[in-house]
Every structure is written in C-alpha cells, then in structure tokens.
Amino acid sequence: MIVRVLGSAAGGGFPQWNCGCANCLDFRKGVFDGPARTQASVAVSADGRDWFLLNASPDVRAQIEFSSVLHPRAPRDTPIAGIILTNGDIDACLGLFVLRESQPLHVYATNQVANGLFERNVLVRTLQRTATQLTFHALTDGVPVPLCGPDGNCGLTVEAKSMPGKVPIHLQDCVTPTDGDNVGLIVRDTHKNKSLAYLPSVAHWTPTLESIADTVDCIFMDGTFFQETELPAQGLGMHNASVMSHWPVGGESGSLRWLANRSCPRKIFTHVNNTNPILRENSPERAQLVACGIAVAYDGLEIRL
Ligand code: MLT
Ligand code: MN
Ligand code: ZN
C-alpha cells in the first residue's frame, strides 16, 4: 500500500489566514523552522493506479496539482476512485464541493456524516448534476468494505471505527450527537496484509483506540493541540482542547505518552493546529516526539507498507 500525505494541518491550515499566533507570525517573517501545511488528508493506493482520499480538504485542488499520481490521464479523468470521510467538519469534506466538474465521485461515510452533509444542504446539488455523478457508500462501525475502482476491486478495504469526537460546529444544536458522527479509518491491503489507521480526530483514550494502535502497521494520530489550554493561553479564544474534542499530545495524560508505548511500528501525528509547538522542528516539544520515535506528518510525505 502506498500512503501519500496530501495535507497535515488542522482546520485553517498553517499559516491560517486570520491568525497572528507566534507560529503564524514567525512563518510569515521567514524565521519559522518548518514548512507550511495544507489541511489534513491522505491518499492511499494498493497499486499506484486507483487512489482513495481519506477526507477531501478545502485545499484538495492544490494538493492534487502537487501530487502527479493524482493527475488526469485523459482529457476528462481522475485516478481518484473514491473519497472516504472521517466526519463532516469543513476541513474534512469541503473539498468534495471543490471536485464538482461532473466527474463521478464515490463517497464513503457513515450515515450520520452523510446526513449532516447532504440534508438541507443546497450545495450538494452541484454534485448531483447527473444521476451518476455522486455515489454514496455507507460505512458501519466495525464492518470492512472493499474499495472498488472503475475496473473492480482495488485490493483495499476500509473499516470505520467509531471514535469519541463531536458533530461539526455548524451542526451543533441542530442534531443529537451519536456514534458515527466521527470515525477513525482502518485501510487494509488485502494482498500484502498491511494496515493503516487514520485517526485525525480523537477526543480521548478508548479501549478500541488502544487495540487499533497495537495492531496496525502505521498510525496517523490526532495531533491538533499540544496542550489542553493551547488556544486560551495564546489569547486565541475560549476553547480548551477537550471542548473541541481533541486529545492533547503533551503532558502526563497526553496522547504522546500513550502512543510511545504502543506496538505499532510507524507512528505519525497529523491534523496539527497552527498554534502547536510541534510544528517547529527545533522546539523542545518536537524533541519529545523524536525521543519517542514519533513523527509529524508533512505535505508530500510518502510511505510504503
Ligand atoms: C476540528 O477539527 O475540531 C474542526 O475541524 C474545527 C473546525 O471545524 O473549525
Ligand atoms: Mn479539523
Ligand atoms: Zn496561527
């Protein structure tokens, strides 16, 4: 399986358009030790021919241009055989509407995520210009689904695993939160018997999370915030990490300490917020990750499993 990181930042990207935090300011001054990042998404393929996007970020157009494997091979064409969603957040699915030029799209998501996206949303009509433009494939917790391209089975399955999270901010007070609002994805290469976990939004530890991190060959983990009070401490609003349903990386009860003890051989934080000190390659927080053998995803990173 080939895994290509298209984007590695949390919502807003790095730097974020309206953000004057220390990281964003230093980046604009040209004194930041680390690259810019687009909003989180990865592309996976068993054969390098048919590709599946894990989330469709608002930056998907630029991400495709930057990745030659995703370029069209004919006058109207795409190697993107499907798009699999972890939740209905803007940074996870706005890219669907960017990919609107009548190209057939296969979208895989839970019914909860699909309902939030397709109900009462007039924009979805731009993906329904023809009867065959948008095909929806329902994901159910714990049930692997084969991923198919135009010529049939692509040698991959995807399994959604319910994760603690939240409904998208624009749906708060409109829907009752349930399991299936936020999932992690396990992609398996059925020929090579390799597996990838993609978990960009995880509110806290669960036993399911632990069993995933002890069995897959590579894990991408929620790296949104380093600290619980990261935003308020920098004067950037009221919300702590737990209010935003993101398990902080640092500290005694943080995800870093937990992940360091998991047996997965390849561990990578992604969906990193622009305020997070792990974005700075010379920061003490980044050194803590390095000491545990844990990486930070960057745009263009490619992994073969
Ligand atoms: C999140 O990851 O918490 C969301 O993407 C936040 C947002 O929608 O702005
Ligand atoms: Mn997000
Ligand atoms: Zn910032």
Side-chain angles (χ1 to χ4, degrees), residues 13-25 28 231 234 236 273-276 279:
F14 175 62
Q16 176 176 308
W17 72 280
N18 66 336
C19 191
C21 77
N23 283 354
C24 289
L25 282 180
R28 294 191 187 103
L231 294 181
Q234 298 192 39
L236 304 167
N273 200 53
N274 57 80
T275 49
N276 192 326
L279 289 178

Side-chain angles (χ1 to χ4, degrees), residues 48-68:
R49 201 180 56 138
D50 293 311
W51 289 82
F52 294 84
L53 304 190
L54 311 187
N55 288 337
S57 106
D59 301 314
V60 68
R61 194 200 71 85
Q63 292 170 341
I64 290 170
E65 284 311 310
F66 188 63
S67 308
S68 59

Side-chain angles (χ1 to χ4, degrees), residues 33 44 85 139 164 191 219 259 268 275 286:
D33 190 14
V44 295
L85 303 176
L139 297 179
H191 298 300
I219 185 169
L259 193 56
I268 303 163
T275 49
R286 179 64 159 267

Side-chain angles (χ1 to χ4, degrees), residues 148-208:
C148 293
D151 306 325
N153 195 320
C154 291
L156 298 174
T157 63
V158 66
E159 177 180 347
K161 288 281 201 182
S162 216
M163 284 289 141
K166 64 177 186 311
V167 296
I169 292 171
H170 55 273
L171 289 181
Q172 280 169 14
D173 306 322
C174 296
V175 298
T176 309
T178 58
D179 283 356
D181 289 331
N182 179 56
V183 298
L185 301 173
I186 302 177
V187 180
R188 295 188 180 88
D189 184 318
T190 50
H191 298 300
K192 294 198 170 138
N193 197 23
K194 294 287 182 189
S195 55
L196 165 80
Y198 189 67
L199 313 169
S201 290
V202 177
H204 54 76
W205 181 89
T206 68
T208 306

Side-chain angles (χ1 to χ4, degrees), residues 87 162-166 182-183 199-206 209 221-222 224-225 228 240-249 253-255:
N87 60 47
S162 216
M163 284 289 141
K166 64 177 186 311
N182 179 56
V183 298
L199 313 169
S201 290
V202 177
H204 54 76
W205 181 89
T206 68
L209 183 60
M221 177 66 191
D222 184 338
T224 311
F225 299 117
E228 168 69 1
N240 281 355
S242 52
V243 173
M244 298 189 68
S245 297
H246 293 291
W247 186 9
V249 170
S253 55
S255 58

